[in-house]
Amino acid sequence: MVEVTVTPQSSLADRPVRVRVRGLSPGQAVTLRASLTDEQGEEFQSRAFYRADLLGEVDPGCQPALGGSYCGLWPMGLFWFLQPDNLFRRLIKRDVAGSPFLVRLQVFDGIHLAKHPPEGQPLASCQAERWYLAPGVQRVPVREGRVRGALFLPP
């Protein structure tokens, strides 16, 4: 049975996570896909092609991507290379305190060049939470003259 995991499953957006796929056949070609929907309802996605090692595993932290949204060794590539489905959109988190970005990771058999996910069920999937504010941190809006911003106070 194929399994994809993100460790830790819930983390701050600027912290690295480890993505691993297990249960593949040795040498099997797969497409890893990350996707999320932002607060405006816009879709963002990235994908990378990998070949499983002799144990039937894929670890983007140790194995280079063979193509897709990026090539080479990028342990956080699936998160860093998220691109909008519609041109001229940017991934911006407006509600930093209320909710995380939910990033869905999927593994598909073979190499899929199309921008959209292939028909049918993925081999495995999981979800990662990417928070923008640590627990206990207080956000204070700043409005002084022409200065606008936010002050983040540690717990």
Short mmCIF file of all heavy atoms in Angstrom, two decimals, residues 8-78:
data_model
loop_
_atom_site.label_atom_id
_atom_site.label_comp_id
_atom_site.label_asym_id
_atom_site.label_seq_id
_atom_site.Cartn_x
_atom_site.Cartn_y
_atom_site.Cartn_z
N PRO A 8 6.66 17.60 10.22
CA PRO A 8 5.42 17.48 10.95
C PRO A 8 4.23 17.86 10.07
O PRO A 8 4.37 18.65 9.14
CB PRO A 8 5.57 18.45 12.12
CG PRO A 8 6.51 19.49 11.62
CD PRO A 8 7.44 18.78 10.66
N GLN A 9 3.08 17.32 10.41
CA GLN A 9 1.88 17.56 9.61
C GLN A 9 1.39 19.00 9.77
O GLN A 9 0.82 19.57 8.86
CB GLN A 9 0.78 16.55 10.03
CG GLN A 9 -0.49 16.62 9.21
CD GLN A 9 -1.53 17.56 9.80
OE1 GLN A 9 -1.58 17.80 11.00
NE2 GLN A 9 -2.35 18.10 8.95
N SER A 10 1.62 19.61 10.93
CA SER A 10 1.24 20.99 11.19
C SER A 10 2.51 21.75 11.59
O SER A 10 3.21 21.35 12.51
CB SER A 10 0.21 21.04 12.32
OG SER A 10 -0.18 22.36 12.57
N SER A 11 2.79 22.85 10.86
CA SER A 11 4.02 23.61 11.14
C SER A 11 3.87 25.05 10.68
O SER A 11 2.94 25.40 9.95
CB SER A 11 5.21 22.96 10.42
OG SER A 11 5.02 23.06 9.02
N LEU A 12 4.81 25.88 11.11
CA LEU A 12 4.85 27.26 10.64
C LEU A 12 5.30 27.26 9.18
O LEU A 12 6.08 26.40 8.76
CB LEU A 12 5.80 28.08 11.49
CG LEU A 12 5.33 28.36 12.92
CD1 LEU A 12 6.43 29.06 13.72
CD2 LEU A 12 4.07 29.19 12.92
N ALA A 13 4.83 28.24 8.42
CA ALA A 13 5.09 28.29 6.98
C ALA A 13 6.56 28.46 6.64
O ALA A 13 6.99 28.07 5.55
CB ALA A 13 4.28 29.41 6.34
N ASP A 14 7.36 29.01 7.55
CA ASP A 14 8.78 29.19 7.25
C ASP A 14 9.65 28.06 7.79
O ASP A 14 10.86 28.12 7.72
CB ASP A 14 9.27 30.54 7.78
CG ASP A 14 9.19 30.66 9.29
OD1 ASP A 14 8.50 29.82 9.92
OD2 ASP A 14 9.80 31.58 9.84
N ARG A 15 9.04 27.01 8.30
CA ARG A 15 9.78 25.86 8.82
C ARG A 15 9.78 24.72 7.81
O ARG A 15 8.77 24.46 7.16
CB ARG A 15 9.15 25.35 10.12
CG ARG A 15 9.12 26.38 11.21
CD ARG A 15 10.50 26.56 11.80
NE ARG A 15 10.41 27.38 12.99
CZ ARG A 15 11.13 28.45 13.20
NH1 ARG A 15 12.01 28.83 12.31
NH2 ARG A 15 11.00 29.15 14.29
N PRO A 16 10.90 24.03 7.68
CA PRO A 16 10.94 22.91 6.73
C PRO A 16 10.14 21.71 7.24
O PRO A 16 9.98 21.50 8.44
CB PRO A 16 12.43 22.56 6.64
CG PRO A 16 13.02 23.09 7.90
CD PRO A 16 12.18 24.27 8.33
N VAL A 17 9.61 20.96 6.30
CA VAL A 17 8.93 19.70 6.59
C VAL A 17 9.57 18.61 5.74
O VAL A 17 10.29 18.90 4.78
CB VAL A 17 7.41 19.77 6.30
CG1 VAL A 17 6.73 20.75 7.21
CG2 VAL A 17 7.15 20.10 4.84
N ARG A 18 9.32 17.37 6.10
CA ARG A 18 9.87 16.25 5.34
C ARG A 18 8.72 15.51 4.67
O ARG A 18 7.78 15.07 5.33
CB ARG A 18 10.63 15.30 6.25
CG ARG A 18 11.29 14.18 5.49
CD ARG A 18 12.16 13.35 6.37
NE ARG A 18 12.88 12.38 5.56
CZ ARG A 18 13.62 11.43 6.06
NH1 ARG A 18 13.74 11.30 7.37
NH2 ARG A 18 14.24 10.59 5.27
N VAL A 19 8.81 15.38 3.36
CA VAL A 19 7.83 14.64 2.58
C VAL A 19 8.43 13.29 2.21
O VAL A 19 9.58 13.23 1.77
CB VAL A 19 7.45 15.41 1.28
CG1 VAL A 19 6.49 14.61 0.44
CG2 VAL A 19 6.87 16.77 1.62
N ARG A 20 7.67 12.21 2.42
CA ARG A 20 8.16 10.88 2.07
C ARG A 20 7.02 10.07 1.47
O ARG A 20 5.88 10.16 1.90
CB ARG A 20 8.69 10.15 3.29
CG ARG A 20 9.96 10.80 3.80
CD ARG A 20 10.68 10.00 4.79
NE ARG A 20 11.21 8.78 4.17
CZ ARG A 20 11.82 7.84 4.86
NH1 ARG A 20 11.95 7.95 6.16
NH2 ARG A 20 12.30 6.79 4.26
N VAL A 21 7.38 9.27 0.48
CA VAL A 21 6.44 8.33 -0.13
C VAL A 21 7.01 6.95 0.06
O VAL A 21 8.19 6.71 -0.22
CB VAL A 21 6.24 8.63 -1.64
CG1 VAL A 21 5.23 7.66 -2.23
CG2 VAL A 21 5.81 10.06 -1.86
N ARG A 22 6.18 6.03 0.54
CA ARG A 22 6.60 4.64 0.76
C ARG A 22 5.60 3.70 0.09
O ARG A 22 4.47 4.05 -0.14
CB ARG A 22 6.64 4.33 2.26
CG ARG A 22 7.67 5.09 3.01
CD ARG A 22 7.69 4.66 4.47
NE ARG A 22 8.73 5.35 5.18
CZ ARG A 22 8.54 6.01 6.30
NH1 ARG A 22 7.36 6.06 6.85
NH2 ARG A 22 9.55 6.62 6.89
N GLY A 23 6.08 2.48 -0.16
CA GLY A 23 5.20 1.44 -0.69
C GLY A 23 5.16 1.36 -2.20
O GLY A 23 4.30 0.68 -2.77
N LEU A 24 6.08 2.03 -2.87
CA LEU A 24 6.14 1.98 -4.33
C LEU A 24 6.98 0.79 -4.77
O LEU A 24 7.71 0.19 -3.98
CB LEU A 24 6.76 3.27 -4.89
CG LEU A 24 6.03 4.58 -4.56
CD1 LEU A 24 6.89 5.77 -4.90
CD2 LEU A 24 4.69 4.63 -5.29
N SER A 25 6.92 0.47 -6.04
CA SER A 25 7.81 -0.55 -6.60
C SER A 25 9.17 0.10 -6.85
O SER A 25 9.24 1.28 -7.20
CB SER A 25 7.26 -1.06 -7.93
OG SER A 25 5.99 -1.63 -7.75
N PRO A 26 10.26 -0.64 -6.68
CA PRO A 26 11.58 -0.07 -6.97
C PRO A 26 11.65 0.44 -8.40
O PRO A 26 11.24 -0.24 -9.34
CB PRO A 26 12.53 -1.25 -6.75
CG PRO A 26 11.81 -2.13 -5.79
CD PRO A 26 10.35 -2.00 -6.14
N GLY A 27 12.13 1.66 -8.55
CA GLY A 27 12.26 2.27 -9.87
C GLY A 27 10.98 2.84 -10.45
O GLY A 27 10.98 3.37 -11.56
N GLN A 28 9.88 2.78 -9.73
CA GLN A 28 8.59 3.27 -10.24
C GLN A 28 8.63 4.78 -10.40
O GLN A 28 9.06 5.51 -9.53
CB GLN A 28 7.47 2.87 -9.28
CG GLN A 28 6.08 3.31 -9.73
CD GLN A 28 5.00 2.83 -8.76
OE1 GLN A 28 5.26 2.10 -7.80
NE2 GLN A 28 3.78 3.24 -9.03
N ALA A 29 8.17 5.26 -11.55
CA ALA A 29 8.07 6.70 -11.81
C ALA A 29 6.75 7.21 -11.25
O ALA A 29 5.69 6.60 -11.45
CB ALA A 29 8.16 6.97 -13.30
N VAL A 30 6.81 8.33 -10.51
CA VAL A 30 5.61 8.91 -9.92
C VAL A 30 5.63 10.42 -10.08
O VAL A 30 6.68 11.03 -10.28
CB VAL A 30 5.47 8.56 -8.42
CG1 VAL A 30 5.23 7.08 -8.22
CG2 VAL A 30 6.66 9.04 -7.62
N THR A 31 4.44 11.00 -9.98
CA THR A 31 4.28 12.44 -9.96
C THR A 31 3.78 12.82 -8.58
O THR A 31 2.75 12.31 -8.13
CB THR A 31 3.27 12.90 -11.03
OG1 THR A 31 3.75 12.53 -12.32
CG2 THR A 31 3.06 14.40 -10.98
N LEU A 32 4.52 13.70 -7.90
CA LEU A 32 4.07 14.26 -6.63
C LEU A 32 3.44 15.61 -6.95
O LEU A 32 4.02 16.42 -7.67
CB LEU A 32 5.25 14.47 -5.68
CG LEU A 32 5.82 13.25 -5.00
CD1 LEU A 32 7.05 13.62 -4.19
CD2 LEU A 32 4.80 12.62 -4.10
N ARG A 33 2.25 15.84 -6.40
CA ARG A 33 1.53 17.07 -6.67
C ARG A 33 1.11 17.72 -5.36
O ARG A 33 0.62 17.04 -4.46
CB ARG A 33 0.28 16.77 -7.50
CG ARG A 33 -0.55 17.98 -7.83
CD ARG A 33 -1.75 17.59 -8.71
NE ARG A 33 -2.52 18.73 -9.08
CZ ARG A 33 -3.58 19.19 -8.39
NH1 ARG A 33 -3.96 18.57 -7.30
NH2 ARG A 33 -4.23 20.25 -8.80
N ALA A 34 1.36 19.02 -5.23
CA ALA A 34 0.90 19.81 -4.09
C ALA A 34 -0.10 20.83 -4.60
O ALA A 34 0.08 21.39 -5.68
CB ALA A 34 2.07 20.52 -3.41
N SER A 35 -1.16 21.05 -3.83
CA SER A 35 -2.16 22.04 -4.24
C SER A 35 -2.79 22.68 -3.01
O SER A 35 -2.83 22.08 -1.94
CB SER A 35 -3.24 21.39 -5.11
OG SER A 35 -3.92 20.38 -4.39
N LEU A 36 -3.25 23.91 -3.18
CA LEU A 36 -3.99 24.60 -2.13
C LEU A 36 -4.92 25.62 -2.75
O LEU A 36 -4.74 26.03 -3.89
CB LEU A 36 -3.05 25.26 -1.11
CG LEU A 36 -2.20 26.47 -1.50
CD1 LEU A 36 -2.99 27.77 -1.45
CD2 LEU A 36 -1.04 26.60 -0.54
N THR A 37 -5.94 25.98 -1.99
CA THR A 37 -6.87 27.03 -2.37
C THR A 37 -6.68 28.17 -1.39
O THR A 37 -6.77 27.96 -0.17
CB THR A 37 -8.32 26.52 -2.32
OG1 THR A 37 -8.43 25.37 -3.16
CG2 THR A 37 -9.29 27.59 -2.78
N ASP A 38 -6.40 29.38 -1.89
CA ASP A 38 -6.15 30.50 -0.99
C ASP A 38 -7.47 31.08 -0.48
O ASP A 38 -8.55 30.58 -0.80
CB ASP A 38 -5.25 31.55 -1.64
CG ASP A 38 -5.94 32.39 -2.71
OD1 ASP A 38 -7.15 32.16 -2.99
OD2 ASP A 38 -5.28 33.28 -3.28
N GLU A 39 -7.39 32.15 0.28
CA GLU A 39 -8.57 32.76 0.90
C GLU A 39 -9.51 33.40 -0.11
O GLU A 39 -10.68 33.62 0.18
CB GLU A 39 -8.12 33.79 1.93
CG GLU A 39 -7.35 33.17 3.07
CD GLU A 39 -6.44 34.14 3.78
OE1 GLU A 39 -5.98 35.13 3.16
OE2 GLU A 39 -6.19 33.90 4.97
N GLN A 40 -9.01 33.67 -1.30
CA GLN A 40 -9.83 34.26 -2.36
C GLN A 40 -10.45 33.19 -3.26
O GLN A 40 -11.15 33.50 -4.22
CB GLN A 40 -8.99 35.21 -3.22
CG GLN A 40 -8.20 36.23 -2.44
CD GLN A 40 -9.08 37.16 -1.62
OE1 GLN A 40 -10.07 37.66 -2.12
NE2 GLN A 40 -8.75 37.36 -0.36
N GLY A 41 -10.15 31.92 -2.98
CA GLY A 41 -10.67 30.83 -3.79
C GLY A 41 -9.81 30.48 -4.99
O GLY A 41 -10.21 29.69 -5.83
N GLU A 42 -8.61 31.08 -5.07
CA GLU A 42 -7.71 30.80 -6.18
C GLU A 42 -6.94 29.51 -5.91
O GLU A 42 -6.52 29.25 -4.79
CB GLU A 42 -6.72 31.95 -6.39
CG GLU A 42 -7.35 33.24 -6.84
CD GLU A 42 -7.93 33.18 -8.24
OE1 GLU A 42 -7.39 32.43 -9.08
OE2 GLU A 42 -8.92 33.87 -8.48
N GLU A 43 -6.73 28.72 -6.97
CA GLU A 43 -6.00 27.46 -6.86
C GLU A 43 -4.53 27.67 -7.19
O GLU A 43 -4.19 28.38 -8.14
CB GLU A 43 -6.58 26.44 -7.85
CG GLU A 43 -8.02 26.05 -7.56
CD GLU A 43 -8.16 25.16 -6.36
OE1 GLU A 43 -7.24 24.36 -6.10
OE2 GLU A 43 -9.19 25.24 -5.68
N PHE A 44 -3.68 27.03 -6.41
CA PHE A 44 -2.23 27.03 -6.64
C PHE A 44 -1.77 25.58 -6.61
O PHE A 44 -2.30 24.77 -5.86
CB PHE A 44 -1.51 27.82 -5.54
CG PHE A 44 -1.75 29.29 -5.59
CD1 PHE A 44 -2.93 29.83 -5.10
CD2 PHE A 44 -0.81 30.14 -6.13
CE1 PHE A 44 -3.17 31.19 -5.15
CE2 PHE A 44 -1.03 31.51 -6.18
CZ PHE A 44 -2.22 32.04 -5.69
N GLN A 45 -0.78 25.26 -7.45
CA GLN A 45 -0.29 23.89 -7.48
C GLN A 45 1.15 23.83 -7.96
O GLN A 45 1.65 24.75 -8.59
CB GLN A 45 -1.17 23.03 -8.38
CG GLN A 45 -1.09 23.40 -9.86
CD GLN A 45 -1.83 22.42 -10.73
OE1 GLN A 45 -1.77 21.22 -10.49
NE2 GLN A 45 -2.54 22.92 -11.72
N SER A 46 1.79 22.74 -7.59
CA SER A 46 3.13 22.42 -8.10
C SER A 46 3.17 20.91 -8.28
O SER A 46 2.36 20.17 -7.70
CB SER A 46 4.22 22.88 -7.12
OG SER A 46 4.10 22.18 -5.89
N ARG A 47 4.11 20.46 -9.10
CA ARG A 47 4.27 19.02 -9.29
C ARG A 47 5.73 18.73 -9.62
O ARG A 47 6.43 19.59 -10.13
CB ARG A 47 3.34 18.49 -10.37
CG ARG A 47 3.66 18.98 -11.75
CD ARG A 47 2.62 18.48 -12.75
NE ARG A 47 3.00 18.78 -14.11
CZ ARG A 47 2.90 19.95 -14.70
NH1 ARG A 47 2.42 20.98 -14.04
NH2 ARG A 47 3.26 20.12 -15.95
N ALA A 48 6.13 17.52 -9.26
CA ALA A 48 7.50 17.10 -9.53
C ALA A 48 7.49 15.61 -9.83
O ALA A 48 6.68 14.86 -9.28
CB ALA A 48 8.40 17.40 -8.34
N PHE A 49 8.39 15.21 -10.71
CA PHE A 49 8.49 13.81 -11.13
C PHE A 49 9.67 13.16 -10.42
O PHE A 49 10.75 13.74 -10.35
CB PHE A 49 8.67 13.70 -12.64
CG PHE A 49 7.73 14.58 -13.42
CD1 PHE A 49 8.19 15.37 -14.46
CD2 PHE A 49 6.38 14.63 -13.12
CE1 PHE A 49 7.33 16.19 -15.18
CE2 PHE A 49 5.50 15.44 -13.84
CZ PHE A 49 5.99 16.22 -14.87
N TYR A 50 9.44 11.96 -9.91
CA TYR A 50 10.48 11.22 -9.19
C TYR A 50 10.49 9.77 -9.63
O TYR A 50 9.49 9.27 -10.16
CB TYR A 50 10.25 11.26 -7.67
CG TYR A 50 10.50 12.61 -7.06
CD1 TYR A 50 9.48 13.54 -6.92
CD2 TYR A 50 11.77 12.97 -6.62
CE1 TYR A 50 9.72 14.79 -6.35
CE2 TYR A 50 12.01 14.21 -6.06
CZ TYR A 50 10.99 15.11 -5.93
OH TYR A 50 11.22 16.34 -5.38
N ARG A 51 11.60 9.11 -9.37
CA ARG A 51 11.70 7.66 -9.56
C ARG A 51 12.03 7.07 -8.20
O ARG A 51 12.95 7.51 -7.52
CB ARG A 51 12.79 7.32 -10.58
CG ARG A 51 12.81 5.85 -10.94
CD ARG A 51 13.65 5.58 -12.17
NE ARG A 51 13.19 6.25 -13.37
CZ ARG A 51 12.16 5.84 -14.13
NH1 ARG A 51 11.47 4.80 -13.80
NH2 ARG A 51 11.83 6.51 -15.22
N ALA A 52 11.25 6.07 -7.77
CA ALA A 52 11.44 5.45 -6.46
C ALA A 52 12.81 4.78 -6.38
O ALA A 52 13.34 4.28 -7.38
CB ALA A 52 10.34 4.42 -6.21
N ASP A 53 13.38 4.76 -5.17
CA ASP A 53 14.67 4.11 -4.97
C ASP A 53 14.50 2.59 -4.88
O ASP A 53 13.40 2.07 -5.11
CB ASP A 53 15.38 4.68 -3.74
CG ASP A 53 14.61 4.43 -2.44
OD1 ASP A 53 13.69 3.59 -2.41
OD2 ASP A 53 14.96 5.06 -1.43
N LEU A 54 15.55 1.89 -4.53
CA LEU A 54 15.51 0.42 -4.47
C LEU A 54 14.57 -0.11 -3.39
O LEU A 54 14.14 -1.26 -3.46
CB LEU A 54 16.92 -0.13 -4.26
CG LEU A 54 17.89 0.13 -5.41
CD1 LEU A 54 19.29 -0.36 -5.05
CD2 LEU A 54 17.41 -0.53 -6.69
N LEU A 55 14.25 0.72 -2.40
CA LEU A 55 13.32 0.32 -1.34
C LEU A 55 11.87 0.69 -1.68
O LEU A 55 10.97 0.44 -0.89
CB LEU A 55 13.71 0.97 -0.01
CG LEU A 55 15.09 0.61 0.53
CD1 LEU A 55 15.40 1.43 1.77
CD2 LEU A 55 15.16 -0.88 0.83
N GLY A 56 11.66 1.31 -2.84
CA GLY A 56 10.32 1.74 -3.23
C GLY A 56 9.88 3.01 -2.52
O GLY A 56 8.70 3.22 -2.29
N GLU A 57 10.85 3.88 -2.22
CA GLU A 57 10.54 5.11 -1.52
C GLU A 57 10.99 6.33 -2.33
O GLU A 57 11.92 6.24 -3.13
CB GLU A 57 11.24 5.14 -0.15
CG GLU A 57 10.78 4.05 0.78
CD GLU A 57 11.45 4.11 2.13
OE1 GLU A 57 12.32 4.99 2.36
OE2 GLU A 57 11.11 3.27 2.99
N VAL A 58 10.32 7.45 -2.08
CA VAL A 58 10.72 8.74 -2.65
C VAL A 58 10.87 9.71 -1.49
O VAL A 58 9.97 9.85 -0.67
CB VAL A 58 9.67 9.27 -3.66
CG1 VAL A 58 9.99 10.71 -4.05
CG2 VAL A 58 9.61 8.39 -4.89
N ASP A 59 12.01 10.37 -1.41
CA ASP A 59 12.29 11.38 -0.40
C ASP A 59 12.86 12.60 -1.12
O ASP A 59 14.04 12.62 -1.49
CB ASP A 59 13.30 10.83 0.62
CG ASP A 59 13.58 11.81 1.75
OD1 ASP A 59 13.20 13.00 1.63
OD2 ASP A 59 14.18 11.39 2.75
N PRO A 60 12.03 13.64 -1.33
CA PRO A 60 12.51 14.84 -2.04
C PRO A 60 13.69 15.53 -1.36
O PRO A 60 14.37 16.31 -1.99
CB PRO A 60 11.29 15.75 -2.06
CG PRO A 60 10.13 14.83 -1.96
CD PRO A 60 10.60 13.72 -1.05
N GLY A 61 13.95 15.20 -0.09
CA GLY A 61 15.10 15.78 0.60
C GLY A 61 16.40 15.10 0.21
O GLY A 61 17.47 15.64 0.45
N CYS A 62 16.33 13.91 -0.38
CA CYS A 62 17.52 13.15 -0.76
C CYS A 62 17.60 12.85 -2.25
O CYS A 62 18.67 12.52 -2.75
CB CYS A 62 17.56 11.82 0.00
SG CYS A 62 17.58 11.98 1.78
N GLN A 63 16.47 12.91 -2.93
CA GLN A 63 16.43 12.55 -4.35
C GLN A 63 16.06 13.78 -5.18
O GLN A 63 15.13 14.51 -4.83
CB GLN A 63 15.38 11.46 -4.59
CG GLN A 63 15.69 10.15 -3.90
CD GLN A 63 14.48 9.23 -3.93
OE1 GLN A 63 13.78 9.12 -2.94
NE2 GLN A 63 14.25 8.59 -5.06
N PRO A 64 16.75 14.01 -6.29
CA PRO A 64 16.41 15.16 -7.13
C PRO A 64 15.15 14.90 -7.95
O PRO A 64 14.88 13.77 -8.37
CB PRO A 64 17.63 15.31 -8.04
CG PRO A 64 18.22 13.94 -8.10
CD PRO A 64 17.94 13.30 -6.77
N ALA A 65 14.37 15.97 -8.15
CA ALA A 65 13.21 15.90 -9.04
C ALA A 65 13.71 15.79 -10.47
O ALA A 65 14.68 16.44 -10.85
CB ALA A 65 12.33 17.13 -8.87
N LEU A 66 13.05 14.98 -11.27
CA LEU A 66 13.44 14.77 -12.67
C LEU A 66 12.78 15.76 -13.61
O LEU A 66 13.11 15.81 -14.79
CB LEU A 66 13.09 13.34 -13.09
CG LEU A 66 13.68 12.24 -12.20
CD1 LEU A 66 13.15 10.88 -12.62
CD2 LEU A 66 15.19 12.29 -12.23
N GLY A 67 11.85 16.56 -13.09
CA GLY A 67 11.15 17.53 -13.91
C GLY A 67 9.87 17.95 -13.22
O GLY A 67 9.60 17.57 -12.09
N GLY A 68 9.08 18.76 -13.92
CA GLY A 68 7.84 19.27 -13.36
C GLY A 68 7.97 20.76 -13.13
O GLY A 68 8.48 21.49 -13.97
N SER A 69 7.54 21.23 -11.97
CA SER A 69 7.64 22.65 -11.62
C SER A 69 9.07 23.06 -11.34
O SER A 69 9.40 24.25 -11.34
CB SER A 69 6.77 22.96 -10.39
OG SER A 69 5.42 22.65 -10.64
N TYR A 70 9.92 22.10 -11.06
CA TYR A 70 11.33 22.35 -10.78
C TYR A 70 12.12 21.07 -11.06
O TYR A 70 11.56 19.99 -11.20
CB TYR A 70 11.54 22.79 -9.32
CG TYR A 70 11.03 21.80 -8.32
CD1 TYR A 70 11.88 20.83 -7.77
CD2 TYR A 70 9.71 21.79 -7.92
CE1 TYR A 70 11.42 19.91 -6.85
CE2 TYR A 70 9.24 20.87 -6.99
CZ TYR A 70 10.09 19.94 -6.46
OH TYR A 70 9.63 19.03 -5.56
N CYS A 71 13.43 21.21 -11.17
CA CYS A 71 14.34 20.07 -11.33
C CYS A 71 15.42 20.17 -10.28
O CYS A 71 15.78 21.25 -9.85
CB CYS A 71 15.00 20.10 -12.71
SG CYS A 71 13.90 19.74 -14.07
N GLY A 72 15.94 19.02 -9.88
CA GLY A 72 17.05 19.01 -8.94
C GLY A 72 16.60 18.74 -7.52
O GLY A 72 15.46 18.37 -7.26
N LEU A 73 17.53 18.93 -6.60
CA LEU A 73 17.30 18.63 -5.19
C LEU A 73 16.74 19.85 -4.48
O LEU A 73 17.48 20.79 -4.17
CB LEU A 73 18.62 18.18 -4.55
CG LEU A 73 18.53 17.63 -3.13
CD1 LEU A 73 17.64 16.39 -3.10
CD2 LEU A 73 19.92 17.30 -2.62
N TRP A 74 15.46 19.85 -4.24
CA TRP A 74 14.75 20.91 -3.53
C TRP A 74 13.86 20.25 -2.49
O TRP A 74 12.72 19.89 -2.79
CB TRP A 74 13.89 21.73 -4.49
CG TRP A 74 14.65 22.54 -5.47
CD1 TRP A 74 15.08 22.14 -6.69
CD2 TRP A 74 15.06 23.89 -5.32
NE1 TRP A 74 15.75 23.17 -7.31
CE2 TRP A 74 15.74 24.25 -6.49
CE3 TRP A 74 14.92 24.84 -4.31
CZ2 TRP A 74 16.28 25.52 -6.66
CZ3 TRP A 74 15.46 26.09 -4.50
CH2 TRP A 74 16.12 26.42 -5.66
N PRO A 75 14.33 20.05 -1.26
CA PRO A 75 13.52 19.36 -0.25
C PRO A 75 12.14 19.98 -0.03
O PRO A 75 11.18 19.28 0.24
CB PRO A 75 14.37 19.47 1.02
CG PRO A 75 15.77 19.62 0.53
CD PRO A 75 15.65 20.41 -0.75
N MET A 76 12.02 21.30 -0.17
CA MET A 76 10.74 21.99 0.03
C MET A 76 10.14 22.47 -1.29
O MET A 76 9.25 23.32 -1.30
CB MET A 76 10.95 23.19 0.97
CG MET A 76 11.29 22.81 2.39
SD MET A 76 9.92 22.03 3.25
CE MET A 76 8.76 23.37 3.28
N GLY A 77 10.61 21.93 -2.39
CA GLY A 77 10.19 22.38 -3.71
C GLY A 77 8.69 22.37 -3.94
O GLY A 77 8.15 23.28 -4.56
N LEU A 78 8.00 21.34 -3.47
CA LEU A 78 6.55 21.27 -3.69
C LEU A 78 5.83 22.45 -3.04
O LEU A 78 4.79 22.89 -3.52
CB LEU A 78 5.99 19.95 -3.15
CG LEU A 78 6.37 18.72 -3.96
CD1 LEU A 78 6.00 17.45 -3.20
CD2 LEU A 78 5.69 18.73 -5.32
#
